[in-house]
Amino acid sequence: MQFESLPGFREFYPEACRLRNYIFSHWRKVARCYCFSEYDAPVLEPLELYIEKSGEEIVGQLFNFEDRGGRAVALRPEMTPSLARLVGAKANSLKRPVKWFNIGEHYRYERPQKGRLRAFYQFNVDIFGEAGPAADAELICLLIQSLQSFGLGEADFKLRLSDRDLWLLMLASEGLDEAASAKVLGIVDKLERMERAKALESLSAILGEQAESFLGQVERLTTIRDFAGLRAFVEALPLEGARQEAARQRLAEWTALMEHVEAAGLMAFLQIDLGIVRGLAYYTGFVFEAFEASGEGRALAGGGRYDALVKKLGGPEMPAVGFAMGDVTLIDLLESKALLPKFVDAPDIVIVMVGADERKLALLDAASLRAVGYQVNYPLKEQGFGKQFKAANQSGARFALIYGTDELARGAVKVKDLTSGGECEIRRSDLLQTLPELIEHGLMADDGAR
Ligand code: HAM
């Protein structure tokens, strides 16, 4: 009987592991450059954590079951609820703003397809304790720079910025209450993938005869791409009193956010797009998603503000904003742009030995070279000289250290530069001092004994 892995779960052969490490090292490096600290949380959580907190869409995709103690549990589909709990529990002792990141695997029972698997990695980056738009802008810059770090440019991806607060103001101006607004936003979230007639039908169920004019209004709003257009749209909304003041303040926050991104020199990546509303239940203000520039394919990353979640999970009032980037769509994009490097896993040094007597000395030297960080390999079983040499050449190693009887009798070994063919003899006792220079400069084909 043959066992196969489950649909949507990947097996990571060494090649794939190298690629994964490459992605993770870029994510980690950018997060550190922005001075974020790494944290982690459990992979298995109480099911309750995701019910209501994450919203219908994710709850419908949970890997959940009852554990042996009768607890209802779920594999984490996302990090945000766990993170909000962690931060909430220590909120008083944490220095603000809290800037944390994580790289971890997440699980969603989705139909496996291009860009979507059932187990995938996310790079989660979040800021807590800062309510102003500078925190949103900082994360937007971090997101852009992490994609840039892979060689992607403004012709390759865009970050689409939207705002749930503006949406709620617009919906309030239509006379919709909170519950109806949530339903309408659920429809707006799917608008791009939905036929107009179907959208109209769904909106009619909530808005009755107003649905057609409302959909026209939505279409006008979602096609705005410049701030002047957005400002004009918002200023024309029939808002009064506190709502009018809220709209004015919101536009000032938009201005501050965009000035920040502009000052960082990253404005070319930012696109206003109110068509983004985000499916997750906890978002409150600015929301954003990164996509391939053509707009095709699934999102590379998504996030936004969630100022109420920490409190909902038992913590104090604590503003929060963050995003997560997935590895699946990112790798697809890097592959399509030929931006994935060729990974080589070659040793620095391969040891070639004449016979069993030389092996002991070779093992001793290999251990001391490895102890200081060289990547050293040798055959695990005795082999003929020719076969060992062929393997050393095929390994891609830079140098062969040859343990021959005559050289060893003189307390020396022969070093061969496998690229140039140059050779020299060095004393075993000098190996650690001599190798760094050899590795830096190589050996010329006509280099003699040193
Ligand atoms: P999300 O939009 O559900 O947000 O996921 C973020 C990213 O994770 C997506 O843009 C995508 O790249 C990747 N992703 C999601 N589902 C899958 C899947 N089935 N297969 C492959 N990749 C996938 C969140 O998860 C929020 N918790 C992000 C956040 C952090 N908001 C605030 N802080």
Side-chain angles (χ1 to χ4, degrees), residues 204-233:
S204 299
I206 308 163
L207 301 164
E209 285 181 357
Q210 281 179 39
E212 177 70 57
S213 73
F214 177 79
L215 186 54
Q217 178 87 326
V218 167
E219 283 162 347
R220 273 191 295 286
L221 179 57
T222 53
T223 45
I224 292 173
R225 292 289 171 268
D226 63 306
F227 187 54
L230 183 63
R231 179 186 291 279
F233 183 95

Side-chain angles (χ1 to χ4, degrees), residues 35-353:
C35 302
F36 281 68
S37 308
E38 192 161 358
Y39 70 94
D40 208 350
V43 170
L44 197 63
E45 289 277 22
L47 174 64
E48 202 53 38
L49 185 63
Y50 304 109
I51 306 281
E52 287 179 32
K53 305 295 179 282
S54 291
E56 254 172 60
E57 192 170 321
I58 280 198
V59 169
Q61 298 168 340
L62 285 173
F63 273 93
N64 61 305
F65 54 95
E66 199 176 283
D67 76 4
R68 284 167 192 263
R71 294 175 203 91
V73 295
L75 284 172
R76 62 183 184 198
E78 58 157 340
M79 192 52 124
T80 314
S82 307
L83 171 62
R85 181 191 61 208
L86 255 78
V87 171
K90 295 240 161 103
N92 294 332
S93 58
L94 291 171
K95 213 166 115 249
R96 299 183 190 195
V98 179
K99 294 167 63 179
W100 285 5
F101 81 96
N102 169 265
I103 296 171
E105 199 170 31
H106 296 268
Y107 309 88
R108 295 186 194 176
Y109 197 88
E110 290 200 54
R111 191 169 63 78
Q113 54 191 294
K114 190 157 174 57
R116 281 285 178 275
L117 295 175
R118 290 184 177 165
F120 54 95
Y121 288 91
Q122 272 189 349
F123 173 39
N124 273 268
V125 195
D126 295 82
I127 298 180
F128 291 82
E130 176 50 58
D136 308 58
E138 181 82 336
L139 286 164
I140 285 171
C141 292
L142 193 160
L143 200 175
I144 293 171
Q145 288 207 282
S146 50
L147 289 171
Q148 278 185 303
S149 80
F150 293 100
L152 294 164
E154 55 187 83
D156 301 317
F157 75 91
K158 294 284 177 228
L159 191 144
R160 300 190 194 162
L161 178 64
S162 177
D163 184 356
R164 284 181 76 104
D165 281 354
L166 277 190
W167 267 108
L168 291 179
L169 280 167
M170 192 278 227
L171 295 171
S173 79
E174 296 281 333
L176 296 190
D177 63 15
E178 218 177 293
S181 295
K183 278 193 202 145
V184 169
L185 286 181
I187 299 168
V188 174
D189 186 37
K190 296 187 182 64
L191 223 48
E192 239 180 349
R193 286 160 273 153
M194 215 188 233
E195 280 186 22
R196 195 175 193 280
K198 180 88 190 55
L200 199 56
E201 192 189 311
S202 311
L203 286 172
S204 299
I206 308 163
L207 301 164
E209 285 181 357
Q210 281 179 39
E212 177 70 57
S213 73
F214 177 79
L215 186 54
Q217 178 87 326
V218 167
E219 283 162 347
R220 273 191 295 286
L221 179 57
T222 53
T223 45
I224 292 173
R225 292 289 171 268
D226 63 306
F227 187 54
L230 183 63
R231 179 186 291 279
F233 183 95
V234 174
E235 284 172 350
L237 288 175
L239 298 168
E240 280 167 10
R243 283 197 183 129
Q244 194 178 32
E245 176 55 21
R248 199 191 56 72
Q249 268 185 22
R250 204 55 199 149
L251 288 173
E253 280 165 353
W254 267 83
T255 308
L257 185 151
M258 295 208 299
E259 278 176 2
H260 184 128
V261 178
E262 173 91 58
L266 299 171
M267 201 59 186
F269 294 94
L270 198 67
Q271 216 169 53
I272 293 175
D273 186 344
L274 274 284
I276 303 289
V277 293
R278 307 275 299 139
L280 295 159
Y282 44 69
Y283 289 115
T284 50
F286 286 116
V287 283
F288 47 88
E289 283 184 351
F291 281 89
E292 207 219 300
S294 67
E296 274 171 27
R298 313 293 298 245
L300 297 159
R305 245 197 197 272
Y306 51 102
D307 285 345
L309 189 60
V310 175
K311 187 155 187 206
K312 272 195 194 146
L313 288 167
E317 282 292 344
M318 184 106 163
V321 53
F323 74 85
M325 184 183 300
D327 68 325
V328 181
T329 35
L330 174 62
I331 291 173
D332 285 350
L333 177 59
L334 294 177
E335 229 161 30
S336 76
K337 304 275 173 188
L339 282 171
L340 289 178
K342 277 252 163 292
F343 298 103
V344 274
D345 232 2
D348 300 315
I349 294 159
V350 168
I351 295 184
V352 173
M353 44 220 164

